Amino acid sequence: MLDTVDPNAPATQALIEGMGAAVVLLDAQGVARALSPAMRALIPALGTGKLLTLVLRDPDLIEAIDGVARHGGREVIELIERVPVERTFKIHIAALPGGVWRSPVLLTFEDLSEQRVIERMRVDFVANASHELRTPLASLLGFVETLQGPARNDAGARDRFLAIMREQGLRMARLVDDLLSLSRIELRAHLAPETPVDLVGISREIVDSLTLMARGRDVTLTLRAPAAPVRVAGDRDELLRLMENLVENAIKYGKRGGEVVIDVQDGPVEASVGVRDDGPGIAPEHLPRLTERFYRVDTAASREAGGTGLGLAIVKHIVLRHRGRLTIESARGEGATFRAVLPRFEAQRAG
Ligand code: ADP
């Protein structure tokens, strides 16, 4: 009987135990006799001695296993589990030599769930980005046609339309810039930045460059920072971008005539910079989704303020690349505080 597989033999068990993939060996009766560690992790309810079809009660799977056990050969099926969370598996089912009326069966599970989520995100992203570009593009083309036709000789209309067209063109340019920055940051996500960057200096630069914008909404920018530099391990341009996005948002979405406070805090291992406004704040249900690409609480208000919906996604990716974290605290009517917590330069060196 050397040319048959005995599911209970120690050598068979050791072979399956040693496999990296998620594999389970069923005897001719469909009882799990050997499982690889990855299989135990994937479906904890399935243990040695359990009837597989009692744990995974999918009719297609039961039928496929039965067919392979009776007639030999192999089959591949996809299984979607909905409880406790939705998971998609690709299952390879192969008959092994052994048994009389039915043979032992080897099942290999591939977890496609993560791949599916990534695919869905990619499709959504392309759809969103195209939609965001198409709106200003349609408006631009509309005005061009009007200027070529009905408004051909109307100098007043021409000036007005050209101003709007410029606005739409700038909006498309901003969107493309943001998309490119996002993909550049993502490309370098695995390379943590290592140069010392002073958070106080960065904050001061941002306050200087955004004072004019703040004045446009009667907003006072206040910087609270230690006198000495606070150095994090960072990428200067990215940290400037991060602060710019947070302070611009605080000015745009905060209270007209209000105050935006930027505070830099130092610590032994981590340092942080927070941006607080006294605006209308953000309702709790939006907080977890705020850093998603193109997620906006109020789409019209964001567009009105020239937003692309990518600012906070960029902030999140910069913080992640810096091996830091972003916290958002807000309640309706009580303003919002965004804080980037980053590893200290000296701490990173020591570690
Ligand atoms: P946008 O380009 O729309 O500003 P962001 O990614 O920077 O995109 O922000 C996403 C959304 O988060 C904004 O549209 C706005 O609704 C909300 N938001 C961001 N910052 C604040 C803030 N300080 N106060 C209230 N809402 C904010």
Side-chain angles (χ1 to χ4, degrees), residues 33-193:
R33 291 295 169 201
L35 297 98
S36 68
M39 188 71 229
R40 289 182 209 281
L42 199 62
I43 305 178
L46 185 65
T48 315
K50 291 251 171 79
L51 203 56
L52 181 111
T53 49
L54 281 185
V55 179
L56 296 172
R57 294 158 179 264
D58 182 81
D60 292 340
L61 176 68
I62 295 173
E63 194 185 315
I65 294 175
D66 197 50
V68 170
R70 279 177 199 279
H71 310 296
R74 53 195 308 152
E75 205 171 324
V76 180
I77 71 159
E78 248 182 53
L79 173 71
I80 301 177
E81 280 268 286
R82 301 202 186 277
V83 200
V85 285
E86 186 169 316
R87 292 193 298 179
T88 309
F89 298 112
K90 187 174 193 178
I91 307 176
H92 300 255
I93 308 164
L96 300 179
V100 186
W101 304 110
R102 299 165 57 94
S103 13
V105 171
L106 187 70
L107 267 61
T108 312
F109 282 60
E110 259 180 84
D111 191 349
L112 300 182
S113 319
E114 200 173 326
Q115 198 178 323
R116 288 285 149 86
V117 170
I118 293 170
E119 266 168 37
R120 201 173 309 152
M121 275 172 61
R122 194 179 51 78
V123 170
D124 283 355
F125 177 64
V126 172
N128 282 331
S130 315
H131 175 76
E132 294 286 336
L133 277 170
R134 199 161 48 193
T135 317
L137 192 59
S139 136
L140 259 180
L141 289 174
F143 283 118
V144 168
E145 277 163 25
T146 316
L147 285 176
Q148 283 175 326
R152 184 189 290 269
N153 299 315
D154 183 342
R158 189 172 57 222
D159 286 350
R160 245 182 315 120
F161 291 172
L162 283 174
I164 303 173
M165 288 164 71
R166 180 166 185 278
E167 225 10 84
Q168 300 294 344
L170 288 174
R171 184 170 147 201
M172 289 168 67
R174 264 197 311 271
L175 185 62
V176 171
D177 282 349
D178 278 359
L179 286 170
L180 286 175
S181 329
L182 202 52
S183 80
R184 261 196 302 268
I185 300 161
E186 271 188 314
L187 266 182
R188 292 183 302 193
H190 58 289
L191 293 170

Side-chain angles (χ1 to χ4, degrees), residues 11-25:
T12 313
Q13 305 264 329
L15 183 72
I16 302 291
E17 280 283 343
M19 286 188 169
V23 174
V24 54
L25 175 62

